[in-house]
Amino acid sequence: MSVVDNAIYVDGRRAVVPTSLDHTFEELKSCPTDGHSFCWIGMLRPSDQEIQAVADEFGLHSLAVEDTVTAHQRPKLERYGDLLFVVLRPARYVDPVEVVEIGEVHLFVGPDFVITVRHAEEPDLGAVRKRLEADPELLHHGPYAVLYAVLDKVVDDYAPVLDGLQDDIDEIEVQVFGGDPGVSKRIYTLTREVIEFQRAVEPLEALFTDLRERLKEKAGASDLELRRALRDVADHATRVMERIEGFRQLLTNILTVNAALVGQRQNEEMARMTQAGYDQNEQVKRISSWAAILFAPTLVASIYGMNFDVMPELHWALGYPFAVLLMVLLGTGLYLSFKRRGWL
């Protein structure tokens, strides 16, 4: 069976610990109907048949039962007559992989019963039950006290998630200004986790509003403290939502700054490459200039070094001085030309 705990409470104290669901149903019928007796059935990953058995006994609405069987619901509060159906999305931050694990808890809250259905190990509702059993005055308020305590637990568990996200954002800021090339992927991944977390928390504002209206309709003077406690949880949820929104804006700004820094580094690299290309071009021009200067006398010497018998200047007495003078003039002319152009 998926029932992890099952008890009947009378006047804020655990009175009966049934051995089975059938036993629970029978014992609850024999309890006084003064509004101070109720059962709390806690279930973990129940089968469809188990959910349906509980639904048939307590007359749960078919749409709420369908949502529980299907799971993967957004946080919400729905009213079906005297029944409240509440969906909560607890969260846990796994720091080594920077992932926000979102769980799911469904609560059926009736006049004399509370059924909690968890689709994940977290949160630990056993701790919530112990807290309530240690405070009979609070538990005396009945099923709504259980709803309050579960809401309080879920919202309180958001704090470590916020701290984990804050630590990672601080690390990302260091990476961005340190020029880490892999930081863009980390920013994108963390932004997705923040968005998923926001989807789990954002609907709580409307949920608390509906719950306060419900309590106003049914609550008497004795429920004033419970309403105040719920208001305090709602304030905590609002602060959580504000921090999440701040994280989203901060990550967006960090991504913009990172893109600007990457662009700046790329521009600097392009400037460096351009300067390197310019310097290389200057060296090529110098080499080419000297090559041309050396080529001129080489050309003259190679022409007059050909082994032909019939050459006009071959037997000329001034042929050698003329050739040397020609080589000097060509080399000097080329040198002055390249110097004037700034190649040398």
Side-chain angles (χ1 to χ4, degrees), residues 134-148:
D135 188 356
E137 185 177 348
L138 176 59
L139 195 54
H140 183 74
H141 291 285
Y144 281 89
V146 177
L147 176 57
Y148 152 72

Side-chain angles (χ1 to χ4, degrees), residues 192-246:
R192 288 186 58 186
E193 297 304 317
V194 169
I195 291 173
E196 288 298 319
F197 187 30
Q198 185 177 34
R199 289 173 179 169
V201 179
E202 192 172 27
L204 289 181
E205 182 178 357
L207 187 152
F208 278 111
T209 300
D210 293 344
L211 184 56
R212 283 196 294 267
E213 292 179 358
R214 173 65 175 171
L215 286 175
K216 286 179 182 178
E217 293 175 5
K218 70 170 286 296
S222 61
D223 292 316
L224 179 60
E225 289 302 319
L226 182 59
R227 295 202 302 272
R228 287 175 176 170
L230 278 169
R231 191 182 309 119
D232 182 63
V233 178
D235 290 341
H236 289 171
T238 299
R239 287 195 291 270
V240 170
M241 191 61 215
E242 289 173 351
R243 285 194 66 187
I244 294 173
E245 184 61 32

Side-chain angles (χ1 to χ4, degrees), residues 1 4 6 102 122 197 242 272 299:
M1 291 291 290
V4 293
N6 179 18
I102 305 296
E122 298 292 334
F197 187 30
E242 289 173 351
R272 189 191 65 79
L299 176 64

Side-chain angles (χ1 to χ4, degrees), residues 77-102:
L77 184 150
E78 294 181 348
R79 300 168 57 177
Y80 301 98
D82 291 335
L83 172 70
L84 288 185
F85 175 59
V86 181
V87 178
L88 301 175
R89 301 302 301 271
R92 183 173 72 94
Y93 193 62
V94 185
D95 189 63
V97 291
E98 296 182 2
V99 171
V100 179
E101 288 187 353
I102 305 296

